């Protein structure tokens, strides 16, 4: 099972919006609405930010939103803040009843 | 609140075995699917295994299939990961994670991880 494809890095200034893409295949991202996004700060465990493509767990800021078109899912962060600087990973359920992660994207807030 | 506490990590030689444990609390353990996810030093997350709420279904990543075994004991709220024939590339922080109610298609809550180092 190949990892989902994410850009290695993205950056933005405080207050701006950024979007991170996550590209898979029809056997994972494109075939199911079980795409999640995780935020990970250095030395910490990942934190769920988006699940089932568009849903936010309670306590997660509405500045974080998710979407999907075909085999590509996206995470958008609006009103960038310094605290958003972290690594972000997408994740999808697959046709083999397994899960697969993206390679990760490092977000830098300039 | 949901708590997942991993233990059992350490330094082990290539070819040897190690068993990880994950003690759960704060929820009805037997109602939830569970996962192991690992992260090699400086690298990304890699999903490695899942087990259904009752232990009847288990799935593995190709990288560990045939060497690692996931299991659970619902009587003591504990998840296990038996790792045999360890390789240097298995060096990673291993996270225990929980899915939603009766569902193994999503990972929600994570433990803090335990470090496994495979080295001679």
């Amino acid at each position: 099972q190949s990892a989902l494809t994410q850009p290695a890095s993205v950056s933005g200034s405080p207050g701006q919006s950024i979007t991170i893409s996550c590209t898979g295949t029809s056997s994972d991202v494109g075939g199911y609405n079980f795409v999640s996004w995780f935020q990970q700060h250095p030395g910490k465990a990942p934190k769920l930010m988006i699940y089932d493509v568009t849903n936010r767990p309670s306590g997660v800021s509405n500045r974080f939103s998710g979407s999907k078109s075909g085999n590509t899912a996206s995470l958008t962060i609006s009103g960038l803040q310094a605290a958003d600087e972290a690594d972000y990973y997408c994740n999808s359920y697959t046709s083999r009843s397994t899960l697969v992660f993206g390679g990760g994207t490092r977000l830098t807030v300039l | 609140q949901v708590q997942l506490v991993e233990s059992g990590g350490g330094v082990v030689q290539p070819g040897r075995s190690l068993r990880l444990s994950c003690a759960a609390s704060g929820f009805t353990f037997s109602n939830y699917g569970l996962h192991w996810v690992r992260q090699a030093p400086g690298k990304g997350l890699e999903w490695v295994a899942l087990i259904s709420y009752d232990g009847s279904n288990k799935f593995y990543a190709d990288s560990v299939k045939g060497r690692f075994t996931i299991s659970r004991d619902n009587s003591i709220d504990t998840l296990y990961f038996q790792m045999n024939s360890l390789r240097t590339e298995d060096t990673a922080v291993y996270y225990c994670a929980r899915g939603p109610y009766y569902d193994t298609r999503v990972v929600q809550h994570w433990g803090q991880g335990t470090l496994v180092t495979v080295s001679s």
Side-chain angles (χ1 to χ4, degrees), chain B residues 20-65:
Chain B
L20 306 182
S21 299
C22 172
S25 61
F27 63 98
T28 303
F29 186 77
S30 58
N31 288 349
Y32 291 86
L34 296 163
H35 304 255
W36 287 101
V37 178
R38 68 184 181 183
Q39 186 169 34
K43 302 297 185 182
L45 299 172
E46 179 188 14
W47 176 87
V48 287
L50 72 82
I51 185 168
S52 59
Y53 67 98
D54 61 355
S56 62
N57 291 299
K58 305 175 185 180
F59 294 93
Y60 301 90
D62 290 343
S63 57
V64 306
K65 195 178 298 182

Side-chain angles (χ1 to χ4, degrees), chain B:
Chain B
Q1 71 280 22
V2 175
Q3 280 207 315
L4 300 165
V5 180
E6 302 92 339
S7 62
V11 181
V12 61
Q13 293 180 327
R16 304 297 290 265
S17 299
L18 202 63
R19 189 178 82 157
L20 306 182
S21 299
C22 172
S25 61
F27 63 98
T28 303
F29 186 77
S30 58
N31 288 349
Y32 291 86
L34 296 163
H35 304 255
W36 287 101
V37 178
R38 68 184 181 183
Q39 186 169 34
K43 302 297 185 182
L45 299 172
E46 179 188 14
W47 176 87
V48 287
L50 72 82
I51 185 168
S52 59
Y53 67 98
D54 61 355
S56 62
N57 291 299
K58 305 175 185 180
F59 294 93
Y60 301 90
D62 290 343
S63 57
V64 306
K65 195 178 298 182
R67 299 188 299 124
F68 294 6
T69 302
I70 189 171
S71 63
R72 64 190 297 161
D73 188 338
N74 286 351
S75 68
I76 56 171
D77 295 357
T78 302
L79 174 72
Y80 300 104
F81 206 33
Q82 178 66 43
M83 303 186 295
N84 298 333
S85 302
L86 281 160
R87 305 167 179 167
T88 55
E89 56 264 36
D90 295 320
T91 294
V93 173
Y94 284 75
Y95 293 100
C96 161
R98 195 204 82 177
Y101 191 68
Y102 285 117
D103 195 341
T104 52
R105 295 169 295 186
V106 181
V107 172
Q108 290 185 322
H109 299 276
W110 299 66
Q112 287 305 302
T114 186
L115 176 63
V116 173
T117 302
V118 184
S119 173
S120 54

Side-chain angles (χ1 to χ4, degrees), chain A residues 5-102:
Chain A
T5 301
Q6 297 181 232
S9 63
V10 298
S11 62
S13 300
Q16 288 186 332
S17 294
I18 63 95
T19 297
I20 300 172
S21 62
C22 170
T23 301
T25 69
S26 58
S27 296
D28 38 63
V29 173
Y32 306 92
N33 287 324
F34 296 113
V35 177
S36 302
W37 289 90
F38 297 90
Q39 176 191 68
Q40 187 180 35
H41 287 108
K44 301 294 187 182
K47 175 186 176 184
L48 179 65
M49 306 303 285
I50 296 288
Y51 68 97
D52 295 354
V53 180
T54 61
N55 295 328
R56 273 188 314 276
S58 63
V60 173
S61 170
N62 59 9
R63 298 185 299 105
F64 291 83
S65 62
S67 63
K68 190 183 83 166
S69 177
N71 295 336
T72 298
S74 298
L75 172 71
T76 297
I77 309 174
S78 59
L80 267 180
Q81 301 177 358
D84 299 333
E85 187 163 290
D87 293 327
Y88 291 84
Y89 295 91
C90 62
N91 173 258
S92 175
Y93 179 70
T94 82
S95 60
R96 297 170 64 188
S97 300
T98 61
L99 276 68
V100 63
F101 280 95

